[in-house]
Amino acid sequence: MGRLVRVVIVSLAVALLLSGVGCAKGRLVVGVPADVDGLDPHRTVAAATFQVVCNIYDTLVEVTPDGRLVPGLAASWEISPDGLQYTFTLHRGIKVHTGRELRGADVAASFRRILDPDTNHPRAADYRVIDSIETPDAETVIFHLKEKSPAFLSNLAMGWAAVVPPEAVGEAKFRPIGTGPFMFADWVPDSHLILRRFADYFRPREPLLEDVVFRVIPEPSVGIINLKTGAVDVLSWLAPQDVVGVKADPRTKVVESPMNGIYLLAMNNARPPLNDRRVRQAINLAIDKQAIVDGVHWGQGRVIGSHMPPVSPFYVDLTAMYPYDPEKARQLLTEAGYEQGLELSITLPQPYDFHIRNGEIIAQQLEKVGIRVRLEVMEWGNWLDRVYFGQDYQAATIGHTGRLDPDPFLNRYASDSRENYMNYQNPDYDELVELGGATLDMDERLRIYRRLQEILAEDAVAVYLMSPNLAVGMKANVSGWQIYPIDILNLRRVYKEE
Amino acid sequence: MHMRAYLLRKAVGMVVTVLLVSAISFFVLQVIPGDPAQVILGTEASPEALQDLRVQLGLDRPLRVRYWAWLKGLFRGNLGESLRYQRPVAELLWERLPVTFILSFAAVTLALTGALPMALLAARHAGSPLDLLVVLASQLGLALPPFWIGLLLIILFSLKLGWLPPGGYILPGDGAITALGYLILPSLALSLPLAAHLVWLLRQSILEVIERDFIRTARAKGLPENLIYCRHALRNALIPTMTVLGIHMGTLLGGSIIIEQVFSLPGLGRLVLFAVYNRDWPLLQGGVVFMATAVVLVNFFTDLVYGFLDPRISVTDN
């Protein structure tokens, strides 16, 4: 009798627990600073779009907050010894939002769409290494590569490699249909976007929320008021000056993490006087990077020494190479023949306030060593045209978002790279970059990419200023929020405690 | 007959104005640096992707050809497709219209209901402390930037009192009362500077009119002072006020970029602002044509109202 009672109690408890776990509840309102520019992950470069659509679509491989690659739609994968064949086995029972099952052929179709020139996928080049795709059965997808590609696996985890089922293609920009934890419900451009829980999501007991509303709040100060009044549960981005206030309020909290990205003062290495390495080194020595981190970013970031953020496993600390030393800077300028000082123009991109303020502090610091700076604030479209694509500039402040693999991040400095807007030319660098792009051995890759960072620092190609922190503000009852090394707002495991 | 000729002349004038404005905005946007394909693809674009997108967006065609094609479309009632949103421009404008429309009318109504009695009171008691107070308040209203008024309103009514939402917007179809709640603060923020301007202008006009001969006649006839102010003086003083109101109304219908930004409202102003940022010329052209049309139409109606306010002004006069 006693045993029976125990069994009944235990069974009841288990049933209660299970029912509780499976029951999603609550609506989460997330304030975002910018609206999506459509909902098709294959036809955009907008960070705001990837932040949202990662909840509608899935990728074959996923990345964890600490940067590890883990199964996504693919339950497992195998790489052939020659590195030319990647075989993915899909999870069983993955459902598309229309209710049917996802097959290997759908995955193949999605990658063919990425590669199709008519799609105009802005990053199709990252996937051109695919030679052919095979789907021997409904759960297997085999990629045959043209050559070894160490970045291939991590490229599959990026938001723009999302698997878009064929039925979504026609209206993917406005009515996305994916396999993700949330289904698209409504979008009023520049106002809000609503996602609803997908009950048949292939990971059991996820997502935990019933629905999610992304509300566009362009003004940071208004965003803070929205958070404090409870009109939003989460603010996806906190301005550095607001972090302390949100932390101090018992109703709200902050989740923060170093960002996979860097801010820099880009220099045109082909244009005098910046074609002289000594001048570039002098500029590096004349800039007090910590003063920028503290003065512009309220201490929310970390000083760096080369083109790599500290969150990357490939990062090497080179901050000691150019300590703040105005005296030595003046000396180098004299050596280079600029004892009377020189004039420098820095182009700052509008409306990115922090890049503009970075430039303003740099200008003041450079004045101290006799470099007279002319600051030119330029609207973003104009900046892209003049600086990035036209390479008609001397120096400019800007940021670069990190990737999961160091290759796409560092190959922009190769002499023939079309993204080499700093006009850096170094045959040794080119050779090493090429080697890195064809090496699969992890230790060897670590050595190569650390050396590349050293070369960039030695040649003072740019002034690598800092890697910023990302801070997300939320109500005290929001749990499960995680920050990823790619720019996504993954809401699968987020929930609200009532 | 005169009326018909007048209307015809006005209509032609309006069409010419709108076309001129559209041509100027088109060519100005082409002169400023920046390429829509570059802005859409950003710093990650390969030259091939850029070129493909340019062809897809029709940017490889010569300028005249593009303008001519756009103009032909306009006469067929087709405003083209937005480069950024890849949707018909008319549809995008139509979606944003309700917010801007409701906001503009609410702001003008609020401003008028506040300004009329205040201006009358101030003028009626010119030189008194009450007058001084009204004048001071109107100067303050003119001096304060609307975005700051907006922020103060949000802090007071949302953060401190918790009465109204701090920005955002829902469609009236999703709950009329709630939708109204979202529009009170932005309308108020928009109406305060307008009301301040109207009070200042109206008070001045009334004080001028009150010196005129017909007012003296009215006084000689023994009409009560309040009646003189409310009926005779106010009506005549409204004419310059209507001009200013017309100009404001035209501008408001084009969307208020700053207020929409502060209150996170999806109105016309932000749509057009982003069109400039993104070099989305079909969308910008559509927005400009819409705004120009709104301004010339409002001006036209203002002209008609003159005749109603002062029968001596005839719309058919040259």
Side-chain angles (χ1 to χ4, degrees), chain B residues 189-248:
Chain B
L190 264 184
S191 75
L192 282 179
L194 178 58
H197 196 177
L198 291 181
V199 165
W200 180 78
L201 197 79
L202 207 53
R203 175 187 167 275
Q204 209 64 22
S205 302
I206 296 173
L207 288 180
E208 270 168 38
V209 169
I210 213 77
E211 298 296 321
R212 299 241 184 103
D213 287 348
F214 73 91
I215 298 285
R216 206 174 309 151
T217 314
R219 281 199 176 118
K221 282 200 296 187
L223 287 180
E225 198 68 359
N226 282 345
L227 193 70
I228 291 173
Y229 268 91
C230 291
R231 186 182 287 172
H232 298 270
L234 182 63
R235 186 163 166 175
N236 282 278
L238 271 176
I239 293 166
T241 316
M242 282 317 291
T243 314
V244 170
L245 197 64
I247 294 170
H248 276 292

Side-chain angles (χ1 to χ4, degrees), chain A residues 37 45 118 120 122-123 173-174 189-192 215-219 221-222 225-226 228-229 231 379-382 384-385 388-389 403 418-419, chain B residues 33-34 38-44 47-50 52-53 56 84-85 87 96 151 154 158-159 166-168 261-262 264 266 270 274 277 279:
Chain A
D37 69 342
V45 291
D118 285 343
N120 230 323
R123 290 179 173 104
K173 195 167 171 107
F174 313 108
D190 273 340
S191 175
H192 61 267
R215 262 194 51 206
V216 183
I217 307 174
E219 272 300 309
S221 51
V222 178
I225 294 174
N226 272 273
K228 294 207 165 184
T229 54
E379 182 270 333
W380 179 238
N382 198 353
L384 277 174
D385 192 47
Y388 196 80
F389 293 103
R403 298 288 194 84
R418 282 160 172 149
E419 293 173 49
Chain B
Q38 282 175 6
V39 178
I40 291 173
L41 295 182
T43 55
E44 307 282 342
E48 296 82 20
L50 271 178
D52 287 350
L53 188 61
Q56 213 176 63
R84 182 79 176 183
Y85 295 97
R87 283 176 61 200
R96 302 302 177 98
L151 281 178
I154 293 178
S158 304
L159 192 62
Q261 186 85 356
V262 169
S264 325
R270 267 168 83 204
F274 287 129
Y277 280 159
R279 307 291 190 272

